[in-house]
Amino acid sequence: MHIILRGRAGRTLACVLLVGCGQAALATGAAAVDLSATAAINAAISAPGSIEGSVTQANGDYLDGASVSIPAIDRTTTVDRSGRYRIGNLPAGSYELVVRYVGLPDQRLSVTVGDAAVTQNVTFAETIDAAGEGAGEIVVNGSRPIAESEAAALQIQRTSDSLVSVVASDSVGRLPDQNIAQAVSRLPGVAVQRDQGQARYINLRGAPINWTTLSFDGINVVSPEGRDARFDSIPSAIASQIIVRKAVTPDMTGETIAGNVDIITRSAFDYPGFKVQAKGGIGHVELGKKTEYEGSLVVSDRFDTGIGEFGLVSSASLYRRGMVTDNFETDWEAVGEDRRPGFQDRIWARETENKLYRLTRKNYSLSTRLDWRPNDGNSRLFAETIYSAFQDDELRNNYIVDLDDQQSRAPTGTAACAVNATPAAGTTGYADICTGNTPLRGTVYGIDLNSNFTVRAYKQSVFTNTIGGDHELGDWTVAWRGNYTRSIDDRTQPAQLNYDSPSFGTNGANAGNRLTVAYDLSDPQLARIQLYRTIRNANGTFARGDRVIAIEDFPRTLARLRSLKAKDVTTAYTAKLDVTRETTLGALPVKFAAGLRYDDRTKTSKEYLLELNSAAQFAAAGINTGYAAIAIPGGFQGEIPLGYTFQYFGRDKILGLVDQAKRVGSYNLVTGNFYDVEEKVYAGYAMTTATTDWGSIVGGARVEHVRNISNAISALGPIQVSSNSTLVYPSLHFNWNVNDAMKARLSFNTGAARPDYDQLRPNFSFNDANQTISGGNPDAKPEKARGVDLYVEYYTMPRGFLSVGIFYKDVEDVLFDSARTFGSDRLNANGVDRSQYTFSTILNGGDGSIYGIEAAIQQQLDPFVGDLGLPAWMGGFGVQLNATLNKSRSVTPDGRRVKLPGTSDAVYNLIAYYEKYGFSARVSYQNRSPWLDAIGAFGAVNGVNRGIDGGDFYWAKDNELDASVRYAITPAVEIFGDFSNLLNGPGRRYVGNTQYTIEHETFGRRYTGGVRVTF
């Protein structure tokens, strides 16, 4: 493509797009343009006039994001959070000032500018909640929260110089959902991944979760888990807006590929004066018949003093839910001993298990922000602190039926065979089609029952503190920020007890004390097992004895007792400086921006383990090795048909055994799980925004230099690995105002997603409770992306919106999460066999790409009621619909072609609502198709290259249906009801083929009611 620019205007525009030239123009008085252009520039720069003021609704609420323009000279600005605006560099004269806000009629005023600032305050005669109410309607003096939040969101989207989607609070600061992930999930192009039924990670337009960054008020924050930002730990109570930036601009961190989720926190200057918002609710969780609570409080006020105005806002929130979980999990494998005809397509269940959770989940936050606006009115300083935490207090009964316990004894014949239900002497029937067993149905004899009982005190927290200032110095603006953030991933497990069956013995001599299991895994939604006693015949073969219902009837002995103290701590220091200058080049209004940023992040992981694993140690500590020592009365609280009964354990009882263990043991550093990863990022950017009569152009580049140092302890002693890289990220964005209602956007952008901190460590770490091993890969390279977006947006009055867009991203060195059975004894120690643990690491593959189409529409029936002859009450109906269709590809490290990890072919959200007369109701349906979670290990099994553990790992499709109702009793008091997870669908993963489920969990429907108060 070739672009030819001619004449003075062409040279001026070319200069603007070249950021270096633009910066030189600032320094030299625009020597690159001809003398007449220079004269015009100097005249504009020397113009002393300006218009400034505030924009409010009739009720006094600020209209943040309102557009204020002077059409005659193509000058436009937007209203800030405190309701203020300013247009400078105006020659003397009379101008028409046009103020626009979605959902309200335009305001047009005539303003005369002289040699000084002119104050022009604008007040809309209507409010958002009143707009659209027709004559003769029944009007209730209550708010319209959906209309208000829609209008605020659309206004920000419409006036943005880049592609964004927005969740905005209504006039009293309410966001529609309990946590940030759930709120954002309703936006176009957004999909979520869930944990225990609660939205946690965000995929933008189907991209991997590590392509999306998290920030608070523009400051990027490292999640407790690292670069995979978790959003379930951030309550919505701290936010006034959530801006999802889908087009990457130079002022955003370079590790943003798909987009950035920027949480705009509350400021006292968001409100005209004193404000209190309180919310309280109580609810019921169907599964387990548990209770949930939620509450939040926001208090804000402003104070005039002799040295300026101060604003103080504080908030607190708490969400607490009791839960149980219905779960089954199955691990699959290609079995080397299975050589009978058809083995090439067979994978067998290595083990099947139930993880039966009892837990209490909490989200809570505290925040305070102090703002100071000195008397000169041209500066604002602030200090803010936010503490946000996610906590699971978990008790887990885990029963693992070890089907491949005696795999090495399986027959290895290669010829076809007649079916004989009795396995060969000394074999268990595992992976033996000669007994009539198939991968999905069969019976296995004399195998191990591994019972794990875990107390988990899991907590993730973010403590972020920011100081900053914004200073208006004529046409210059200087913004600076300093931030300290401490993120903690506390993985402490106060207790884990492992009970094992008696040993198999020589040729199964002890098998009579072990399980015989009939399994039926043909239903992907339910793994069915039945337990039987094992009969060992005189000839060494096995048979099925009586059915056993109570799993405690099988003898088991305590094999290991552990207590783990584990924390991953990430400290981050950020310094950021941004300078902008608004001026004109010829007749072209431009804004030059440049900035510097420094990040210093260190993530340290330490674990201390207390462990007893011998009969002598248990005896010395006085520990009873039978399960009865920790069992408590009470039946299963879930609903899944287990095929057996069991007894829960008591928290106090199991912790009592840990106290006894401390008499003979101590907590020791697990050196194999220690690592320390340090990252320093030196970044700078330059960017120019040029406003034309048809729209705007944003262009520039960002440069980042990254230094990493990783420390760990290997089997050979301490090890350190370091690396350096420098990358440049250019981008260019065109925004075309086709007419007053339509806008087109074209964006070219770049980015690079770096491996996570734990993935850069030069060692392995293991988790015995979850039977997992993770390994670092310090040689992993960033995946570099180039993208283009083309979108058309259409805004209809009063609050209608239609958009359609296409996007494409090309990626180099695609990063893959890899998962497989560890298959090595190198980490075995103290009697613990870790060879069968699931091993995860990160690997670079080849190139990849993703492209797709995104469409969204939202519309209320109000504007059409009169034309259609409908009664006024029907105007309250509205819809919000959006869908994203993707096509992706990538090349794995072993050369296979798969979809890009985390990418669903289809994501859509359907929301229908009604809002009128103080009443509002909303029903929301979300759906995303299956997506690749991690690649599996492929290799030769009996001469055939195939998935060693069954293939690649996928998440199955996800369907969610939620509903909510609200009624404003008075303008200050509202009652509400929320109904979540109404479909009660499972969280399900599978391997290779959807038939082979590896994890299936359900969590129950939830119902909550309560009251909100605002004054």
Side-chain angles (χ1 to χ4, degrees), residues 182 184-192 194 203-206 246 807 853-857 880-886 903-912 923-931 957-962 983:
Q182 191 67 27
V184 171
S185 70
R186 310 186 191 284
L187 292 176
V190 175
V192 296
R194 303 175 190 274
N203 302 84
L204 287 183
R205 295 187 293 194
K246 299 178 181 177
F807 53 89
I853 182 169
E854 177 186 305
I857 183 172
Q880 299 173 359
L881 313 175
N882 61 75
T884 305
L885 303 178
N886 293 311
T903 304
S904 292
D905 289 341
V907 177
Y908 55 89
N909 297 288
L910 312 176
I911 301 173
V923 178
S924 173
Y925 175 71
Q926 303 174 5
N927 178 285
R928 67 176 299 190
S929 61
W931 66 96
K957 70 176 183 179
D958 183 32
N959 296 282
E960 301 289 332
L961 180 66
D962 301 323
L983 297 179

Side-chain angles (χ1 to χ4, degrees), residues 60-83:
D61 288 339
Y62 300 140
L63 287 176
D64 175 13
S67 169
V68 183
S69 64
I70 304 176
I73 57 173
D74 296 324
R75 299 291 301 278
T76 301
T77 189
T78 55
V79 175
D80 67 16
R81 296 173 58 180
S82 58

Side-chain angles (χ1 to χ4, degrees), residues 481-779:
R481 301 289 187 270
N483 176 268
Y484 166 74
T485 297
R486 181 178 174 88
S487 298
I488 299 177
D489 184 4
D490 189 338
R491 300 175 285 105
T492 294
Q493 294 167 354
Q496 184 197 359
L497 274 62
N498 301 94
Y499 294 77
D500 287 338
S501 301
S503 67
F504 188 73
T506 303
N507 294 321
N510 298 331
N513 291 321
R514 300 176 125 223
L515 289 76
T516 287
V517 176
Y519 64 90
D520 181 353
L521 310 177
S522 59
D523 183 355
Q525 307 297 330
L526 178 62
R528 298 179 184 272
I529 62 172
Q530 293 181 343
L531 309 181
Y532 297 87
R533 300 208 178 275
T534 302
I535 297 174
R536 187 174 187 270
N537 299 314
N539 62 359
T541 61
F542 299 122
R544 193 168 76 181
D546 294 335
R547 173 98 183 261
V548 176
I549 299 300
I551 203 166
E552 279 80 16
D553 287 351
F554 289 102
R556 291 163 296 161
T557 302
L558 180 63
R560 284 175 296 277
L561 179 152
R562 299 185 185 95
S563 179
L564 178 70
K565 298 178 181 180
K567 282 187 180 181
D568 299 342
V569 179
T570 305
T571 56
Y573 300 88
T574 298
K576 186 171 179 280
L577 176 68
D578 298 280
V579 179
T580 61
R581 168 71 189 276
E582 293 190 21
T583 185
T584 57
L585 290 179
L588 194 67
V590 296
K591 180 170 71 173
F592 298 110
L596 298 172
R597 174 170 169 152
Y598 170 70
D599 289 287
D600 187 340
R601 303 165 179 166
T602 302
K603 182 168 186 173
T604 303
S605 179
K606 291 183 180 180
E607 296 184 359
Y608 296 88
L609 179 67
L610 164 68
E611 180 173 12
L612 305 185
N613 54 30
S614 70
Q617 289 175 315
F618 298 141
I623 293 175
N624 186 328
T625 59
Y627 182 67
I630 61 172
I632 60 173
F636 179 40
Q637 297 175 13
E639 297 175 356
I640 187 173
L642 295 175
Y644 56 87
T645 63
F646 69 96
Q647 285 182 284
Y648 286 116
F649 65 86
R651 180 188 181 94
D652 292 341
K653 288 189 174 185
I654 198 171
L655 292 180
L657 295 188
V658 172
D659 288 337
Q660 291 178 245
K662 293 176 183 177
R663 301 172 188 169
V664 298
S666 60
Y667 289 90
N668 298 305
L669 177 67
V670 183
T671 56
N673 282 0
F674 166 81
Y675 66 86
D676 179 288
V677 178
E678 181 180 353
E679 177 180 72
K680 294 184 178 181
V681 183
Y682 306 84
Y685 77 91
M687 180 173 69
T688 300
T689 302
T691 304
T692 71
D693 56 355
W694 50 264
S696 66
I697 306 172
V698 181
R702 184 180 188 88
V703 180
E704 290 190 349
H705 178 70
V706 183
R707 297 180 182 176
N708 284 108
I709 300 177
S710 304
N711 297 282
I713 300 175
S714 70
L716 301 177
I719 184 173
Q720 183 179 93
V721 177
S722 62
S723 62
N724 291 271
S725 64
T726 301
L727 291 174
V728 180
Y729 307 102
S731 64
L732 185 61
H733 309 266
F734 297 89
N735 303 284
W736 179 28
N737 299 319
V738 181
N739 53 46
D740 284 347
M742 184 179 294
K743 175 171 282 191
R745 302 182 189 271
L746 175 63
S747 168
F748 302 91
N749 49 77
T750 57
R754 301 193 288 273
D756 214 337
Y757 303 104
D758 62 324
Q759 296 165 341
L760 293 172
R761 70 190 188 278
N763 70 338
F764 298 107
S765 62
F766 50 83
N767 185 313
D768 289 318
N770 293 332
Q771 297 192 334
T772 58
I773 297 171
S774 58
N777 181 6
D779 294 326

Side-chain angles (χ1 to χ4, degrees), residues 101-156:
Y101 193 88
V102 170
L104 294 173
D106 293 351
Q107 299 291 301
R108 297 177 181 270
L109 305 93
S110 179
V111 182
T112 300
V113 176
D115 295 335
V118 174
T119 299
Q120 180 63 65
N121 297 325
V122 181
T123 301
F124 282 76
E126 296 182 71
T127 60
I128 296 296
D129 60 324
E133 300 282 2
E137 291 187 26
I138 302 172
V139 178
V140 174
N141 189 20
S143 65
R144 299 184 65 182
I146 297 177
E148 293 165 356
S149 58
E150 276 187 355
L154 291 179
Q155 184 62 33
I156 296 169

